[in-house]
Amino acid sequence: MRYMLLFHYSEASEETIGAEAMAAGMRAMAAYAATLEQAGILVSGQVLRPSTGSTTLTLVDGEPRIQDGPFADTKEQLGGVIVIDVPDLDAALEWARQAPPLSWGTVEVRPGAVHIEAGTWVASS
């Protein structure tokens, strides 16, 4: 079963923790991803750029509307994602407990419903 680990954090913390701590966090994430890869469960992963660089599309009166940056109400931002392939939720939670972002934000564990494999939609088991 595939699970997505979504890492949420407050972007304001980037300013308060400093460049050295941010670099240490990035090294910790790289080591975590390497551990997942060595365990044979890493499907994909990506650290995202700050939300100030995001572009959001919404449908308004049947027309796509583009909004740059995050919504004004947003307090936490999605900072990165990792997709793992493990037997069940218990295994996904065990790996999520080891995720470095847990020490500075939250880790959301969300099961996949379907994914694309070789150009075809495949139901997750």
Side-chain angles (χ1 to χ4, degrees), residues 48-62:
L48 302 175
R49 291 185 180 183
S51 63
T52 55
S54 69
T55 302
T56 303
L57 289 161
T58 56
L59 203 59
V60 177
D61 297 325

Side-chain angles (χ1 to χ4, degrees), residues 31-117:
Y32 178 65
T35 300
L36 296 173
E37 188 170 35
Q38 290 168 356
I41 64 169
L42 180 66
V43 175
S44 67
Q46 184 170 1
V47 173
L48 302 175
R49 291 185 180 183
S51 63
T52 55
S54 69
T55 302
T56 303
L57 289 161
T58 56
L59 203 59
V60 177
D61 297 325
E63 294 293 323
R65 183 180 75 191
I66 297 173
Q67 175 181 333
D68 292 335
F71 294 104
D73 298 3
T74 303
K75 302 283 190 266
E76 290 186 340
Q77 303 297 328
L78 179 63
V81 298
I82 286 182
V83 178
I84 58 175
D85 194 350
V86 294
D88 54 32
L89 178 60
D90 289 336
L93 290 171
E94 187 57 39
W95 285 105
R97 283 183 187 96
Q98 300 172 45
L102 192 55
S103 66
W104 63 76
T106 62
V107 178
E108 178 183 349
V109 179
R110 188 179 299 185
V114 295
H115 61 274
I116 295 175
E117 214 170 273

Side-chain angles (χ1 to χ4, degrees), residues 7-10 13 17 21-22 24-26 28-29 76 99-106:
F7 308 119
H8 300 272
Y9 71 105
S10 170
S13 66
I17 67 171
M22 286 296 295
M26 292 299 283
M29 280 303 295
E76 290 186 340
L102 192 55
S103 66
W104 63 76
T106 62

